[in-house]
Each structure stands twice: as structure tokens, then as C-alpha cells.
Amino acid sequence: MATNYSNYVGGEWVAAESGDTFDTHDPAHPDQVVGTYPKSSAADTDAAVAAAVDASEEWGDTPGPERGRVLSRASALLAERKDDITELLVREEGKTRAEAGGEVQRAIDIFDYYGATARDLGGTVKSASAPNTTLRTKNEPLGVAGLITPWNYPIAIPAWKIAPALAAGNAAVIKPATLAPGCVHEIATALEEAGLPDGVLNVVTGPGSEVGDRLASHPAVDAVSFTGSTTVGSAVYDAATEDGKRVQLEMGGKNPTVVSDSADVAEAADIVSAGAFGVTGQACTACSRAIVYEDVYDEFVDAVAARAEAIDPDEGLADSDMGPHVSMDELESTLEYVEVGQEEGATLETGGDALDRKGYFLQPAVFSDVESDYRIAQEEIFGPVLSVISVSDYEEALDVANDVDYGLSASIVTEDHSEANRFVDDIDAGVVKINEKTTGVELHVPFGGMKASSSETYREQGEAGLDFYTISKTVYDNY
């Protein structure tokens, strides 16, 4: 049964000014409507920003420990509703139940983490050069944060933007992706029940061309945090920086895993397949390229193709191996890249076919004989498609790994400790892993990319996640 949702503005659940709505659909059962949401406009966005402005000063003056208690209570409420939120996430976005449950738990943990961290916000004390002087810093909120989030992690990414923004004392307006906005409403509900004052968090659903554009350019918004495609992120950056807003962008990836000749090939195939095919390949950190030393190349191709063939895609609530693409557009985009790879001369070892059933299902694809300049090795493919590239040694592997516009996540599978540490130093990526898949990050350490994967301004998550939402004053007190 479909659920009717509203915008959350100034502590009230309200319809769009126009009364227009849009529906979300279950990607495993496209004929089933999951939710009906307000199709908001720039005017609705203006109302939300005005509510945030009105609430920002009082919330910013609220002591950090009190702000933290609200976030901690929200974490507990989300935990009580974990099963229901998990099912909603599966039905709107398509993840498997296990993947969705892990993501909901991540959101719970993020609110718990920032609830505790809010108690320690303040500044630092330094020794002054002059006598009878205290030298210290004081961190203050920016004011109003505009948050624009994607559909592929519909609760974790909103959580890691909302929680530090509120912990630091800002009010916020969030525009969730139209394909899967339901989990953001669950966050808002939990925060409302946890005692968040009216207007501190506002939720507005609708098209990016209306809500997102207005949020990025609104003169009363002090900072904009965006996660999504590089194309859209670049437009958000231009709109937001025109009047000097602080901007944080996390965008696409073309993430490599290097497989050394010292690696255990079976283990390497497990690591790469988990990174490439987990969450249906719909992750900015997904492994898209396996760069494999020629001595183990053929063995690795056989092993990773076998793992792809063993995956049985099905609806997420059936506890399947892999869920569907989120939409027909996303499925068609992946299928187009499968065609492109074959036209370029790569060998399709397995998969790449849409399944003959309802839903946006694809058998994961593995390409061999891929050259580094092929489009399938250069362009982001938001689906379960892996390109396997042969290299002769470490130097060639590094050249290939860095020979893309992106620099988000990268890993190496090796038993050579020196090689692993060289890779950490040499790779152009914001997240570097040794003997691990490219996906999956800890919440208490910085996250972000390089090159076209990021604005390279501020990192998200951990203590670094608070830096974006605060500004520092330096205080000289001559007593």
C-alpha cells in the first residue's frame, strides 16, 4: 500500500503550494507505487529556507550537549523503527534486505556519533606571546545549510549531512532524490519526536531543476553540501559560489582495484566482486576496473566471472544476492555501456543481459581484454559492470589506475607490504584500501575524493564532517 508524504517546513507537515505530487515505484515491481510526495517548486523551497533562517539563531545558541541529546534520541528512535525503515528502503531503492539493513544501521550510528560529538564542540586554547593574555578559538555555526542528496544511499548520505549540520548548530533544508525520498522523512519524523525545535530541519521534495537549483542559489543559504553526479555537481557549484557560499561536493568515481601477482587470486576475486556487484554496482565507490598483473590475469578473469555468474538477482525482500537497478533509465544506461564495451572490442565474459521478468534486473557483467582508453574503462557506469585490464607490473598498474578523471576510492590486493605502501603514496584517490573492497567506509574518519570526484574543499564524516558546518573565531583576551 502506498504512503502519502508531505514536506516538513517550520515544524509542520505541508503539501506543495501547487498541490502537485509525484509517485515512487518499487524497482522490483515497477507497477507498485510505494509513496506519493509533494512536487515542490522554488516557492516551497523559499518557505523552507525562511523557516530555517527563523530557527537558526536560537538553535545555534543552544548548548552543544543539548543539541547532542536531540540527535542521540533520534538515533534511538530510528533504531526502534529499523525493520520498517529497512523495508521502505528496499521497496524504494531496490537494495537487498541485508544491504538496506546495514545502511539503516549506519544512519543510526551516525546520529549516535554526532550526538556524542556535539558535547565536545567548542574550540582550542593556545599559549599567547604576551603576558596576561588568553588566546583561544571559538567555533560557530554558519547559519543555514542546503543539503542535496542522491537516491543510491537514501538514508546514510542524508544522515551524514544532517547530523553534523545540526550538531554544529546550523538549521538545514534538505532536498532528497525524487527516486527514494522516504527515508529522509523517517529521519525528520525521528528528529521531530526527539525534540528538535521547529524549523531547524526542513524537508522539501521535488525536481532538482526547481528545488535543487533554488536551494543552491538562495541568498539566505550559507552553505551547500551536494552528493551526486559530477555533471549536476558542477552546476550546483557554479550556482552556489556565485554569491560566495561555502560548498562541499562529492561526486562520481571510476574506482580501480589493482591485483598484484603476489595476491591470492581467489581472495582477490572475492574482494573485487564484492566491490563491483554489491548494491547492484550503484555506488560512487563501486569497483569498476580490475587492473591485474598479466601473470595472474587469466586465472583472475575466470575466477571473477564465475562469481558474477553465481549471483542470482531478485527482489531485495526475498533476501536475494543482488537487487534491481533503481529505475528503467538506470538499467538502460548500464545496458548501453554493455553494448559500447562490445563495440569497442572488449570481450564480454559473462552477464550483461536484462532478465526477462518484471523489474529492472541485470545479470552482472564482466569484460576482459579492456584497454585503458575504452569508454567502459573511463566513464562512470552506475551498475554491475566490471572491466578487467591486463598490466605488466606496478608502474603500469599505477599509470592505468590514475588515468581517469576521477579519484574517489581505490584498492590494491597484494602480499607485498612495500608495494601496498607505494600504492598508498602514489594513487590519486581520497579513499585508499589494502586487501579490501573499494566500497564501505567508516563513519568516524574523513570521506571524500580527488579530481572530478570532489570539490576538494571539505571532507565528510568524522570530526572533519563538522569543519564544513562551522567557522572559527580567534579570541585575544588581555586581562
Side-chain angles (χ1 to χ4, degrees):
M1 180 179 294
T3 301
N4 290 315
Y5 293 91
S6 301
N7 287 334
Y8 185 59
V9 177
E12 300 289 335
W13 296 96
V14 297
E17 185 178 274
S18 66
D20 293 341
T21 61
F22 67 92
D23 295 332
T24 59
H25 296 261
D26 185 338
H29 303 279
D31 57 334
Q32 294 182 9
V33 175
V34 179
T36 299
Y37 296 87
K39 188 176 181 181
S40 305
S41 67
D44 298 300
T45 309
D46 288 345
V49 172
V53 170
D54 289 344
S56 61
E57 184 173 353
E58 183 177 352
W59 180 246
D61 290 339
T62 301
E66 186 174 339
R67 296 197 300 262
R69 280 192 288 272
V70 172
L71 300 184
S72 297
R73 286 195 292 267
S75 172
L77 289 167
L78 291 171
E80 290 176 7
R81 299 164 189 166
K82 180 180 177 181
D83 290 345
D84 290 340
I85 299 172
T86 296
E87 182 170 337
L88 172 61
L89 197 160
V90 172
R91 293 187 63 225
E92 275 200 333
E93 196 273 345
K95 281 188 173 73
T96 66
R97 189 192 299 271
E99 292 167 344
E103 183 182 341
V104 175
Q105 186 61 52
R106 170 56 60 90
I108 293 165
D109 293 344
I110 287 168
F111 276 97
D112 181 62
Y113 172 83
Y114 283 109
T117 304
R119 294 171 172 82
D120 295 326
L121 294 178
T124 59
V125 177
K126 301 291 185 179
S127 296
S129 299
N132 304 319
T133 301
T134 300
L135 183 62
R136 63 186 175 91
T137 64
K138 180 179 184 291
N139 294 328
E140 295 184 349
L142 296 174
V144 175
L147 314 176
I148 304 172
T149 58
W151 52 262
N152 62 321
Y153 284 92
I155 192 166
I157 292 177
W160 80 46
K161 293 183 188 296
I162 292 170
L166 301 191
N170 299 278
V173 180
I174 184 168
K175 190 209 94 66
T178 54
L179 286 172
C183 289
V184 169
H185 286 75
E186 295 295 334
I187 290 175
T189 299
L191 284 165
E192 179 185 43
E193 295 180 16
L196 188 72
D198 295 346
V200 175
L201 177 67
N202 304 272
V203 180
V204 184
T205 57
S209 59
E210 286 280 339
V211 179
D213 286 359
R214 181 57 177 159
L215 195 55
S217 61
H218 198 293
V221 171
D222 300 290
V224 175
S225 180
F226 167 89
T227 300
S229 72
T230 300
T231 300
V232 177
S234 297
V236 167
Y237 186 88
D238 290 342
T241 56
E242 188 170 342
D243 63 352
K245 290 182 179 62
R246 184 177 289 191
V247 183
Q248 175 187 68
L249 307 178
E250 292 302 334
M251 300 176 287
K254 194 66 181 174
N255 311 295
T257 295
V258 172
V259 179
S260 170
D261 55 6
S262 68
D264 180 293
V265 172
E267 179 185 10
D270 287 340
I271 289 170
V272 170
S273 61
F277 309 134
V279 298
T280 319
Q282 298 179 135
C284 54
T285 55
C287 177
S288 187
R289 299 175 295 150
I291 301 168
V292 185
Y293 287 25
E294 59 190 6
D295 289 348
V296 294
Y297 182 83
D298 290 339
E299 183 183 357
F300 175 84
V301 169
D302 290 343
V304 78
R307 283 154 180 77
E309 290 169 357
I311 292 173
D312 181 19
D314 202 348
E315 62 177 292
L317 294 177
D319 296 324
S320 59
D321 299 329
M322 189 177 83
H325 282 66
V326 72
S327 69
M328 178 58 77
D329 285 347
E330 292 295 330
L331 174 60
E332 289 178 343
S333 176
T334 300
L335 289 170
E336 287 175 9
Y337 274 109
V338 172
E339 290 184 12
V340 166
Q342 294 174 90
E343 291 169 357
E344 288 181 306
T347 301
L348 182 59
E349 295 284 343
T350 187
D353 296 319
L355 302 188
D356 186 18
R357 67 172 81 155
K358 285 185 178 180
Y360 310 127
F361 295 98
L362 178 86
Q363 192 66 36
V366 175
F367 279 102
S368 63
D369 303 318
V370 178
E371 298 295 331
S372 182
D373 61 352
Y374 286 2
R375 284 181 60 195
I376 60 170
Q378 289 289 320
E379 298 175 12
E380 184 175 36
I381 305 172
F382 225 57
V385 178
L386 176 69
S387 295
V388 189
I389 303 170
S390 177
V391 294
S392 58
D393 54 21
Y394 173 81
E395 283 71 23
E396 186 180 2
L398 183 71
D399 288 344
V400 171
N402 283 335
D403 185 27
V404 290
D405 292 335
Y406 301 99
L408 183 53
S409 181
S411 70
I412 186 169
V413 186
T414 180
E415 293 302 314
D416 184 333
H417 192 66
S418 295
E419 184 179 55
N421 280 283
R422 287 181 66 193
F423 185 75
V424 171
D425 292 340
D426 296 338
I427 190 67
D428 298 334
V431 176
V432 188
K433 297 188 173 187
I434 301 168
N435 298 327
E436 288 192 23
K437 62 183 180 179
T438 57
T439 51
V441 292
E442 297 273 6
L443 65 87
H444 57 292
V445 291
F447 172 77
M450 297 179 176
K451 301 193 289 189
S453 292
S454 172
S455 57
E456 298 186 341
T457 49
Y458 292 85
R459 295 310 198 200
E460 297 192 278
Q461 302 201 109
E463 293 181 6
L466 293 163
D467 293 342
F468 175 71
Y469 297 103
T470 58
I471 192 164
S472 178
K473 289 179 177 177
T474 303
V475 181
Y476 297 78
D477 181 3
N478 185 333
Y479 55 84

